[in-house]
Amino acid sequence: MRQSQLFTKTSKQTPKDEVSTNAQLLIKAGFIHKELAGAYSYLPLGLRVLNKINNIIREEMNIIGGQEIFLTSLQNPELWKRTDRWSDEIVDNWFKTRLKNDTELGLAFTHEEPLANLMKNHINSYKDLPCYPYQIQTKFRNELRSKSGIMRCREFLMKDLYSFSRTQEEHDNFYESTKPAYLKIFERCGLGDKTFITFASGGVFSKYSHEFQTLTESGEDIIYLDREKKIAVNKEVYTDEILASLELNKDNLEEVKAVEVGNIFTLGTKYSEPLGLNYNDKDSKQQTVIMGSYGIGPGRVMGTIAEVHNDENGLIWPEEVAPFDIHLVSLCKEESDVKKADELYTKLTSEGKDVLYDDRNTSAGAKFADSDLIGIPVRYVISPKTLEQGSVEVKKRDQEESELVKL
Ligand code: ATP
Ligand code: MG
């Protein structure tokens, strides 16, 4: 993409109404736009990052057997009444709306109910199980506070996978397989060395759920981390009894702030039972399907990356999620030099590289400042000076040194 064609502009001003680093940087660099508190639009650069995160998640979910679907946001209250989750006293973050004829509808904050109900059309026999549908879809939650930029929104994307299994053992096996898949996702997103499996409260059907918590001062959670064992316990379940059952020693635990980038949950028959999601086993006996749910917030992941990977000059994207592979900055003015810069752009693009080509007619200083702010991992500078040596200057965003590389 030629930067002269990119309609978004960078800004030097830090937005006054944003307290979080991720929102400040992403707005200044032109990745997102704040529509209202807790609602952000994604602009070309931001959408590129979000789509890269989504595709990493897709790849890893497909490997463990996920099948992608896309459910509606509009919700029929009848299903939610059956599981006792329609009432505002029980679920405090519903957005609700009405049809012209006054019928009440909900905007989905999660999708257990509609999916369990839908699966009744497809699950009859033990032969139809197990299965693992997932989606990357919009959720609405009337969050009390939304001050963490794109890490806590009232409208946000969620990857939610749901497992439908015949037995507890079958469920447990799949549940375990999601842990390395999740860790792989966060590693590919550049959060590998800061993300830890964390024990959290489990509900009726299991002792724990597991959260994937990324260490950052901007996180809203407090966890107790055993760095050597690479596991943590959320403050909400931090008791002597739980520590003993996990064989964790208080002396080895660090109290740290973290953000929950994903979580996995055993649901048992909590939703399948009231919604009547059953199957016939080998002996033609009716059994209730066992469910699990597995969430990741791609927007929250993007916000977390921005929090973790930045410096005083701007963002520093990890390779796999960067909006572009290379930022080609041209300081060429003479027609013959510009031609060489154009040729390099074409060559890199034809090699399959995603290149943002700064072909604008602005000062070198402004170009470098924008390049640092936007944070593409590798910068190529082509100028009359580098061309004198038949070269281009190559610099990584997270390093000081650069090197001259022959064209
Ligand atoms: P939290 O404890 O942070 O409120 P949660 O436990 O309610 O989140 P889930 O309902 O399990 O979260 O959602 C799955 C994933 O969706 C979370 O792990 C997180 O990555 C993401 N997520 C949840 N709430 C939000 C939000 N308000 N904005 C952005 N992402 C979110
Ligand atoms: Mg949580």
Side-chain angles (χ1 to χ4, degrees):
M1 174 180 258
R2 283 178 181 265
Q3 209 165 334
S4 57
Q5 304 296 307
L6 180 67
F7 74 81
T8 57
K9 304 283 179 291
T10 57
S11 153
K12 286 202 178 64
Q13 256 74 50
T14 300
K16 288 192 190 67
D17 57 337
E18 294 287 0
V19 288
S20 70
T21 303
N22 74 86
Q24 289 178 352
L25 284 173
L26 291 167
I27 289 171
K28 276 170 80 172
F31 283 62
I32 58 170
H33 167 77
K34 183 184 199 171
E35 201 57 44
L36 42 93
Y40 293 87
S41 300
Y42 286 76
L43 303 173
L45 294 174
L47 188 59
R48 278 178 165 262
V49 175
L50 190 66
N51 282 336
K52 290 203 172 172
I53 295 169
N54 287 342
N55 283 331
I56 290 172
I57 295 173
R58 276 196 184 95
E59 283 173 22
E60 300 302 329
M61 291 299 99
N62 292 344
I63 288 172
I64 58 170
Q67 297 181 45
E68 191 166 359
I69 58 172
F70 193 84
L71 301 178
T72 69
S73 287
L74 292 177
Q75 295 298 305
N76 176 359
E78 294 317 311
L79 295 176
W80 298 82
K81 283 176 187 163
R82 273 188 242 163
T83 58
D84 205 17
R85 287 214 289 181
W86 180 250
S87 150
D88 292 318
E89 270 93 72
I90 289 167
V91 173
D92 66 359
N93 60 13
W94 267 116
F95 279 107
K96 293 178 179 174
T97 185
R98 281 179 192 281
L99 295 178
K100 296 246 189 241
N101 70 8
D102 228 26
T103 307
E104 215 180 3
L105 297 179
L107 298 179
F109 64 94
T110 182
H111 276 93
E112 283 83 3
E113 280 82 346
L115 185 58
N117 183 58
L118 180 163
M119 293 308 278
K120 289 197 290 187
N121 295 332
H122 304 281
I123 296 173
N124 295 305
S125 129
Y126 67 94
K127 291 178 193 152
D128 303 325
L129 292 165
C131 62
Y132 311 114
Y134 75 94
Q135 60 178 344
I136 299 175
Q137 193 264 4
T138 305
K139 303 282 186 268
F140 295 90
R141 291 186 183 179
N142 203 342
E143 303 272 5
L144 190 60
R145 269 178 290 278
S146 188
K147 290 189 170 167
S148 299
I150 57 171
M151 291 158 75
R152 183 171 298 282
C153 294
R154 299 193 165 102
E155 173 182 344
F156 60 96
L157 273 192
M158 191 193 286
K159 184 285 294 180
D160 40 335
L161 184 146
Y162 300 87
S163 64
F164 298 89
S165 306
R166 291 170 282 207
T167 61
Q168 189 60 40
E169 192 191 356
E170 192 167 79
H171 168 79
D172 291 344
N173 284 337
F174 180 75
Y175 188 91
E176 285 309 313
S177 78
T178 64
K179 290 181 186 169
Y182 266 46
L183 290 174
K184 184 85 183 291
I185 289 168
F186 299 124
E187 185 192 310
R188 292 179 64 186
C189 290
L191 300 174
D193 55 347
K194 285 189 156 45
T195 304
F196 297 91
I197 295 187
T198 303
F199 290 82
S201 56
V204 181
F205 287 91
S206 76
K207 212 163 168 190
Y208 312 109
S209 67
H210 294 89
E211 297 173 338
F212 293 77
Q213 293 273 3
T214 306
L215 305 189
T216 162
E217 271 305 304
S218 62
E220 295 179 11
D221 289 6
I222 290 180
I223 63 170
Y224 294 87
L225 171 65
D226 187 323
R227 275 190 198 266
E228 218 154 273
K229 292 188 173 162
K230 288 187 189 301
I231 54 173
V233 177
N234 194 307
K235 190 173 183 177
E236 65 183 27
V237 297
Y238 181 76
T239 60
D240 289 333
E241 192 196 327
I242 298 241
L243 294 186
S245 77
L246 297 173
E247 292 177 25
L248 291 173
N249 183 339
K250 252 190 182 152
D251 300 337
N252 302 331
L253 298 180
E254 239 176 278
E255 186 187 279
V256 280
K257 281 185 159 180
V259 55
E260 178 201 312
V261 284
N263 70 12
I264 58 176
F265 220 92
T266 295
L267 299 170
T269 55
K270 186 173 175 189
Y271 302 105
S272 46
E273 214 260 324
L275 290 161
L277 177 61
N278 304 312
Y279 71 97
N280 291 322
D281 68 14
K282 279 199 175 111
D283 307 318
S284 298
K285 254 184 70 189
Q286 197 180 347
Q287 306 284 357
T288 308
V289 173
I290 294 172
M291 288 175 62
S293 70
Y294 311 80
I296 296 180
R300 184 178 287 185
V301 170
M302 178 169 157
T304 305
I305 297 168
E307 292 283 341
V308 169
H309 297 289
N310 67 69
D311 64 14
E312 65 281 6
N313 297 322
L315 297 153
I316 308 174
W317 295 104
E319 257 170 55
E320 272 210 71
V321 297
F324 291 91
D325 302 321
I326 297 169
H327 201 170
L328 173 59
V329 176
S330 166
L331 307 180
C332 300
K333 295 254 168 21
E334 296 294 328
E335 208 183 308
S336 62
D337 290 348
V338 171
K339 195 164 159 257
K340 291 212 173 88
D342 284 352
E343 277 168 16
L344 179 58
Y345 172 56
T346 309
K347 178 167 179 276
L348 291 169
T349 306
S350 72
E351 284 169 3
K353 300 279 189 227
D354 260 342
V355 183
L356 181 63
Y357 176 24
D358 194 347
D359 59 340
R360 297 174 303 167
N361 191 12
T362 43
S363 72
K367 288 188 177 196
F368 291 148
D370 277 355
S371 181
D372 280 348
L373 181 58
I374 291 170
I376 294 165
V378 184
R379 186 179 79 191
Y380 285 21
V381 178
I382 187 162
S383 69
K385 247 165 69 190
T386 70
L387 281 172
E388 251 170 44
Q389 306 185 53
S391 298
V392 57
E393 184 198 71
V394 176
K395 181 186 165 302
K396 294 223 167 113
R397 174 64 180 82
D398 61 355
Q399 285 170 18
E400 281 305 314
E401 323 78 63
S402 61
E403 54 171 346
L404 276 183
V405 177
K406 288 275 174 235
L407 279 172

